Amino acid sequence: MSFLSIDHLSKHFPSHSGNGKVCIFEDVTVKINKGEFVTVIGHSGCGKSTLLNIIAGLETPTEGGAILNGQEVTGPGLDRMVVFQSFALMPWMTVFENVALAVRSAYPTWSSQEIKAHVQKYITLVGLQGAETKKPTALSGGMKQRVGLARAFSIEPKVLLLDEPFAQIDALTRGVIQEELVQMWNATRNTVFMVTHDVDEAILLSDRIMLMTNGPSARIAEIVDVTIPRPRSRETIIEDEHYYKIRNHIIHFLVRHASHGQADESGEHTERSGPVEINFRDQATNQ
Amino acid sequence: MGIKSTQHPFFISVFFLGIFLFVWHVATISPPFDPTGKTEEELLVLEFNGDIVQTDDGRYVWNPEKEKVKGVPGPMTVAEKAWIELNEAFVIKGTNDHGIAFLVGYTVSRFSVGFLVASGVAILVGIILGLNQMLFRALNPFIQILKPISPLAWMPLLLYTVKDPKWTAILVVFMAAIWPTLATTAFGVNSLRKEYLQVAAILQLSWFKRLYTVILPGAAPTIVNGLRISFGSALVAVVPAEMLLGELGVGYLSWIEWNNLDIAGVIFAILVVGTVGVLLDSGFNKLAGLVTYRE
């Protein structure tokens, strides 16, 4: 039994014309093991954020469901913390207060000293010591998301849900924070479900990458095993023999699915077949 | 830079005030009475009417008592009146003749009660409507009809139902203050970024905690804007309410001075109304500064 399983999940929205429904994605089935870092890549609008929100309990599926640790997800909870693309820090609270709000909720029995120490630990972990009393407005995008990560890690959730966490951060800072996230993940070995459209980010961070076709009626077409040993860093990862194979494979997939309907014309995958698993290590041994 | 840029506007203000007082003074000076060209009979009629009086040395001058109610009083007359009023600020001479400090106190307390109660009700109802889109859409037509009604239009009905001018005046302020805050609070809560509420939901905050750690501070800048509009319209409403109801206060002062045909008193009352407005407004701005934030 896997730790987090997404079981035959479909999501329909009422269509704009009023009658009928638009299918965002359908029949998505994923199994994620404890401590695994899994990423979904797809074009904008393919429903990957909706998928993440359903796991978070912030949206309800039309069919199917998500099961975490043997329990079906029925609503949001402290065991599944989201890191938002828009940071979602309370602008009227300081950095410390933003993290403390989460810690206080997760550990309601703790004394204020315990809470303070715990908050301080995670603020230090993301390198924001000295900025505790600043308001989010006074921080750069990168620093804001560090607060978002500190808040998410601080409540030690069973699953971390990263919703395009670095999309609003400039490219140079993004690389630095990605590396920091690698280190934080190495230290905590959280189960992580991430949504992104940054291929390099996905390869650097993930154990497996799920490739999603375009909506409407998007589905997960392929699952790519990132066969690059850990620990990884941005500098060394590009030396790995599998790096460009994986990267090219994903980019080819994304280009093929750049416009609506093309995926079906290519006829590579029939409607109801499950996702194709891609593993370059196996391919190497097979050849 | 600091000294120059802060001192300049002050001097310019003083300069303009000086010009204004001078023009006012010159425009309101009446020339001394000139008896040339007037017959004995005409002079007698003027004296009989009380327009002029004969001095001890036999000359005719304008009647100083009638001068007070003739034309617009000059700045000196108003200053004199203000001096007298301020000296008697804490004196109660009769049931309806209370010192200016008391009148200001009555108006401020009347205003405060009406405004605070209205704000409390408006924020509470606004939050409920802001969180419940269905309820908001259902009640919005009523709010739209009630909002543009002048608070003074309610007065006869209020007076008839509560049968007490004291409470009627407070209720007029209440009616003036409730709608802008209600509408903007509902809007502010409704347009609160949904991520904030999602974070609150993930952190499993209780309804009450969600209200005062996320919803209220998040909507605070919008709520404060609504309060500011309410504040202005309540301040506008309190003066005529006092005039019409005869309730002691600065609005009443303006009306009673008019009834006394004491125009200097009317001008003084106008200045007092302005001062009270500034006092209340600066207090309000201090409060508003505490709750606003930048995105």
Side-chain angles (χ1 to χ4, degrees):
Chain A
M1 180 95 198
S2 53
F3 187 59
L4 171 64
S5 68
I6 298 159
D7 198 19
H8 298 285
L9 208 62
S10 300
K11 179 73 180 176
H12 303 266
F13 282 128
S15 73
H16 286 299
S17 53
N19 48 358
K21 292 180 284 186
V22 175
C23 173
I24 305 302
F25 54 76
E26 57 183 7
D27 207 22
V28 170
T29 298
V30 185
K31 302 216 178 300
I32 298 169
N33 298 318
K34 198 176 166 116
E36 201 178 12
F37 198 125
V38 173
T39 298
V40 174
I41 279 197
H43 285 284
S44 300
C46 72
K48 53 193 193 300
S49 286
T50 309
L51 181 60
L52 183 136
N53 281 343
I54 289 171
I55 300 172
L58 297 170
E59 286 186 50
T60 49
T62 313
E63 280 168 46
I67 295 155
L68 173 63
N69 214 7
Q71 278 201 309
E72 190 176 353
V73 169
T74 50
L78 287 154
D79 52 353
R80 286 153 288 129
M81 184 64 193
V82 180
V83 175
F84 294 83
Q85 180 182 356
S86 58
F87 318 126
L89 303 173
M90 313 294 170
W92 54 91
M93 293 183 186
T94 63
V95 168
F96 186 91
E97 287 165 350
N98 264 291
V99 182
L101 177 70
V103 174
R104 219 172 280 130
S105 313
Y107 308 102
T109 56
W110 283 11
S111 70
S112 55
Q113 277 89 356
E114 283 173 300
I115 289 169
K116 194 167 180 235
H118 193 75
V119 172
Q120 201 59 51
K121 179 181 149 195
Y122 282 91
I123 288 180
T124 312
L125 190 68
V126 295
L128 281 178
Q129 60 272 46
E132 291 89 345
T133 56
K134 283 188 179 153
K135 295 267 172 78
T137 342
L139 304 178
S140 66
M143 287 168 91
K144 280 183 196 160
Q145 199 54 296
R146 286 191 177 100
V147 181
L149 288 170
R151 177 173 68 182
F153 275 94
S154 73
I155 66 171
E156 292 158 346
K158 285 184 186 140
V159 181
L160 263 177
L161 301 166
L162 311 183
D163 187 3
E164 301 188 30
F166 309 124
Q168 288 192 12
I169 298 169
D170 69 274
L172 292 174
T173 315
R174 193 186 304 155
V176 178
I177 300 195
Q178 283 165 357
E179 203 118 315
E180 287 172 6
L181 179 58
V182 169
Q183 283 158 16
M184 285 171 87
W185 185 80
N186 281 340
T188 57
R189 291 284 163 165
N190 264 304
T191 309
V192 182
F193 181 85
M194 180 168 82
V195 157
T196 186
H197 46 234
D198 183 330
V199 177
D200 295 307
E201 179 175 292
I203 298 172
L204 174 68
L205 295 168
S206 321
D207 294 313
R208 285 188 293 153
I209 301 172
M210 304 191 286
L211 307 181
M212 209 157 169
T213 64
N214 275 3
S217 300
R219 55 201 180 82
I220 291 175
E222 295 182 7
I223 298 177
V224 179
D225 241 313
V226 182
T227 48
I228 300 172
R230 290 183 189 271
R232 301 175 193 155
S233 79
R234 279 187 305 146
E235 252 182 291
T236 56
I237 194 171
I238 49 172
E239 312 284 344
D240 193 279
E241 54 168 335
H242 290 158
Y243 182 78
Y244 280 102
K245 282 185 190 166
I246 295 168
R247 192 173 191 278
N248 290 345
H249 182 86
I250 295 172
I251 288 178
H252 276 303
F253 177 90
L254 291 174
V255 171
R256 270 207 314 277
H257 291 84
S259 55
H260 290 278
Q262 254 181 333
D264 295 333
E265 283 163 31
S266 71
E268 266 183 273
H269 311 294
T270 48
E271 252 327 295
R272 281 286 155 189
S273 69
V276 179
E277 303 216 3
I278 312 284
N279 185 316
F280 286 96
R281 191 181 294 132
D282 293 347
Q283 285 182 6
T285 48
N286 289 347
Q287 278 164 6
Chain B
M1 168 160 174
I3 292 170
K4 271 199 170 175
S5 62
T6 52
Q7 281 191 345
H8 266 135
F10 175 72
F11 286 126
I12 296 171
S13 301
V14 171
F15 175 71
F16 277 117
L17 180 67
I19 289 185
F20 172 72
L21 289 176
F22 179 76
V23 171
W24 182 14
H25 179 70
V26 170
T28 52
I29 288 174
S30 52
F33 181 68
D34 181 15
T36 48
K38 289 200 165 60
T39 63
E40 198 70 21
E41 230 170 78
E42 280 172 333
L43 286 174
L44 267 173
V45 169
L46 282 172
E47 190 175 12
F48 184 73
N49 279 343
D51 288 332
I52 54 173
V53 287
Q54 200 164 19
T55 56
D56 294 339
D57 51 5
R59 285 187 303 112
Y60 284 106
V61 293
W62 292 117
N63 182 357
E65 284 305 311
K66 202 158 185 180
E67 277 290 85
K68 284 184 188 166
V69 294
K70 206 176 76 180
V72 178
M76 297 307 287
T77 324
V78 173
E80 203 180 313
K81 170 75 182 175
W83 179 249
I84 295 166
E85 287 287 350
L86 292 174
N87 272 327
E88 294 174 346
F90 294 96
V91 180
I92 298 180
K93 286 182 184 164
T95 335
N96 282 334
D97 194 356
H98 291 196
I100 187 69
F102 290 104
L103 298 185
V104 169
Y106 300 146
T107 300
V108 168
S109 49
R110 180 175 296 128
F111 175 87
S112 304
V113 172
F115 179 72
L116 290 177
V117 173
S119 302
V121 173
I123 291 172
L124 198 71
V125 177
I127 287 170
I128 294 168
L129 296 188
L131 292 175
N132 191 331
Q133 197 58 26
M134 187 64 89
L135 203 59
F136 177 73
R137 298 229 300 263
L139 294 183
N140 198 34
F142 302 113
I143 296 173
Q144 293 307 323
I145 289 177
L146 292 171
K147 200 167 68 168
I149 298 174
S150 161
L152 295 168
W154 291 101
M155 210 166 65
L157 183 65
L158 293 172
L159 195 55
Y160 176 74
T161 42
V162 304
K163 295 183 175 61
D164 178 13
K166 275 189 195 63
W167 288 104
T168 304
I170 290 172
L171 280 169
V172 168
V173 174
F174 177 90
M175 293 309 284
I178 193 164
W179 305 114
T181 306
L182 201 161
T184 47
T185 301
F187 171 77
V189 170
N190 187 243
S191 54
L192 195 65
R193 284 196 26 210
K194 71 175 193 306
E195 289 95 336
Y196 300 156
L197 295 174
Q198 290 180 337
V199 169
I202 291 168
L203 296 180
Q204 304 279 292
L205 300 182
S206 64
W207 189 86
F208 189 62
K209 192 150 193 212
R210 208 171 291 201
L211 183 69
Y212 77 87
T213 55
V214 180
I215 296 170
L216 271 179
T222 330
I223 294 176
V224 167
N225 276 339
L227 287 174
R228 202 185 298 277
I229 301 168
S230 284
F231 189 89
S233 72
L235 204 55
V236 165
V238 72
V239 169
E242 287 174 354
M243 286 180 173
L244 289 166
L245 293 164
E247 282 298 297
L248 289 182
V250 290
Y252 170 83
L253 174 69
S254 159
W255 195 248
I256 206 74
E257 297 291 25
W258 165 244
N259 283 340
N260 296 339
L261 274 182
D262 186 348
I263 306 302
V266 171
I267 296 176
F268 173 69
I270 291 170
L271 293 175
V272 173
V273 171
T275 314
V276 169
V278 168
L279 285 178
L280 287 169
D281 203 43
S282 71
F284 178 80
N285 281 337
K286 284 224 172 63
L287 249 111
L290 295 176
V291 298
T292 39
Y293 63 88
R294 287 182 301 139
E295 277 276 343

